[in-house]
């Protein structure tokens, strides 16, 4: 089982190099943000805005809040690349050879899910370190808030991957590209329906604020849901492997 995880990491060796470079870049950018906020261009920009229009530090950072959040999420986004392991196994013919090894279905499927979790933890660690540095740049970025968003995004990716991995085992790796796009298509349709049928009496600002508070204060609950989805997906994938031998 350990060998299968190492094989997955070897399949992703190029992606892993890019991942570590990007993660290092995100951390370096967060450190530069601290330096610039204390004695660089950002500090000068805040002073200029405050002198000209009376806008303070919080107003300045509000303009860049979303880009900074998105930058923190970049390392975790590499989690979806675990699908490349399925494609490489099929291309090399290892998907069928693997079934001839003295390994149970649970170990074969479990190794892929463990590879996914290792990748998820690496991305979460990189984003968390960057979030810590960003929180030191200004009081506007509270560490609890940043960590809440980081963990929530990681949880969403785990839920997404739990769906993708089960569907690949069920329908086959040849449909992997469509399977990866399917959740986004469903989300797009849901957004269109919601916007068409939205009720005017609903205070959208209050909804956003409530969602933000939930993510920052109850992010651990969302992560538990994500882990439960991964466990359920793992169980379903094992059932598929037992019923249908011959690879995916």
């Amino acid at each position: 089982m350990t060998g299968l995880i190492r094989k997955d990491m070897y399949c992703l060796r190029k992606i892993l190099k890019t991942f570590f470079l990007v993660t290092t870049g995100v951390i370096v950018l967060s450190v530069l943000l601290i330096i610039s906020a204390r004695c660089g261009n950002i500090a000068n920009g805040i002073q200029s805005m405050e002198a000209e229009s009376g806008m303070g530090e919080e107003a300045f950072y509000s303009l860049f809040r979303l880009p900074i959040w998105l930058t923190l999420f970049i390392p975790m986004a590499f989690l979806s690349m675990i699908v490349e392991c399925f494609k490489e196994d099929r291309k090399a013919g290892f998907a069928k050879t693997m079934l001839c090894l003295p390994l149970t279905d649970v170990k074969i499927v479990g190794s892929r899910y463990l590879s996914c979790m290792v990748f998820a933890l690496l991305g979460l660690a990189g984003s968390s370190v960057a979030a810590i540095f960003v929180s030191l740049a200004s009081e506007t970025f509270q560490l609890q808030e940043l960590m809440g968003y980081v963990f929530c995004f990681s949880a969403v990716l785990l839920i997404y991957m739990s769906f993708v991995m089960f569907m690949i085992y069920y329908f086959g790796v040849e449909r992997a590209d469509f399977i990866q796009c399917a959740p986004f298509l469903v989300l797009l349709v849901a957004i269109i329906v919601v916007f068409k049928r939205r009720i005017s009496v609903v205070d959208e600002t209050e909804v956003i604020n409530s969602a933000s508070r939930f993510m920052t204060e109850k992010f651990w609950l969302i992560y538990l849901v994500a882990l439960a989805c991964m466990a359920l997906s793992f169980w379903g994938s094992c059932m598929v492997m037992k019923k249908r031998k011959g690879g995916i």
Side-chain angles (χ1 to χ4, degrees):
M1 188 173 180
T2 304
L4 292 178
I5 297 176
R6 290 179 179 175
K7 185 267 300 175
D8 285 347
M9 295 298 107
Y10 183 75
C11 288
L12 298 172
R13 63 189 184 280
K14 292 183 180 179
I15 295 174
L16 282 171
K17 289 180 181 178
T18 305
F19 164 76
F20 285 117
L21 287 175
V22 170
T23 302
T24 302
V26 170
I27 294 174
V28 170
L29 284 175
S30 62
V31 173
L32 292 176
L33 176 65
I34 297 176
I35 298 174
S36 185
R38 299 289 174 83
C39 55
N41 292 332
I42 293 180
N44 294 333
I46 293 174
Q47 291 177 358
S48 299
M49 287 183 65
E50 192 168 2
E52 294 176 3
S53 60
M55 296 176 65
E57 182 179 355
E58 185 174 353
F60 178 86
Y61 280 114
S62 66
L63 300 174
F64 302 97
R65 188 184 300 271
L66 183 59
I68 290 174
W69 285 346
L70 293 178
T71 302
L72 293 178
F73 297 158
I74 290 176
M76 294 182 290
F78 278 82
L79 178 60
S80 61
M81 293 294 102
I82 201 72
V83 175
E84 294 300 316
C85 293
F86 289 99
K87 296 180 179 179
E88 291 296 325
D89 284 353
R90 185 171 182 270
K91 186 186 300 183
F94 188 74
K96 293 185 177 181
T97 303
M98 181 169 51
L99 299 175
C100 300
L101 299 175
L103 294 172
T104 63
D105 296 329
V106 173
K107 289 184 177 181
I108 292 174
V109 176
S111 64
R112 183 58 47 81
Y113 275 81
L114 284 176
S115 297
C116 181
M117 293 303 299
V118 168
F119 221 150
L121 289 175
L122 288 174
L124 181 61
S127 294
S128 297
V129 172
I132 292 173
F133 284 119
V134 168
S135 67
L136 297 175
S138 170
E139 294 181 356
T140 303
F141 298 102
Q142 297 294 324
L143 181 59
Q144 182 181 359
E145 181 184 27
L146 289 175
M147 292 301 293
Y149 290 133
V150 166
F151 270 86
C152 285
F153 186 76
S154 178
V156 169
L157 282 176
L158 283 177
I159 293 173
Y160 167 75
M161 287 306 300
S162 66
F163 167 82
V164 169
M165 293 179 71
F166 171 75
M167 297 301 282
I168 288 177
Y169 276 105
Y170 191 85
F171 289 107
V173 68
E174 62 274 6
R175 297 182 178 87
D177 292 334
F178 173 76
I179 290 171
Q180 285 182 283
C181 295
F184 298 105
L185 295 176
V186 173
L187 180 61
L188 178 61
V189 172
I191 291 174
I192 294 175
V193 172
V194 168
F195 270 96
K196 281 188 175 182
R197 299 183 177 181
R198 64 180 181 179
I199 304 173
S200 58
V201 296
V202 175
D203 189 344
E204 295 179 3
T205 303
E206 181 61 29
V207 172
I208 294 174
N209 291 335
S210 298
S212 178
R213 286 195 299 270
F214 182 80
M215 286 189 291
T216 55
E217 297 174 4
K218 303 290 185 180
F219 61 85
W220 56 270
L221 183 59
I222 302 176
Y223 213 83
L224 287 178
V225 172
L227 293 177
C229 289
M230 287 297 289
L232 184 61
S233 174
F234 168 66
W235 175 82
S237 298
C238 289
M239 294 298 102
V240 171
M241 285 288 287
K242 288 180 180 179
K243 290 182 179 180
R244 185 179 60 210
K245 288 288 186 179
I248 58 173

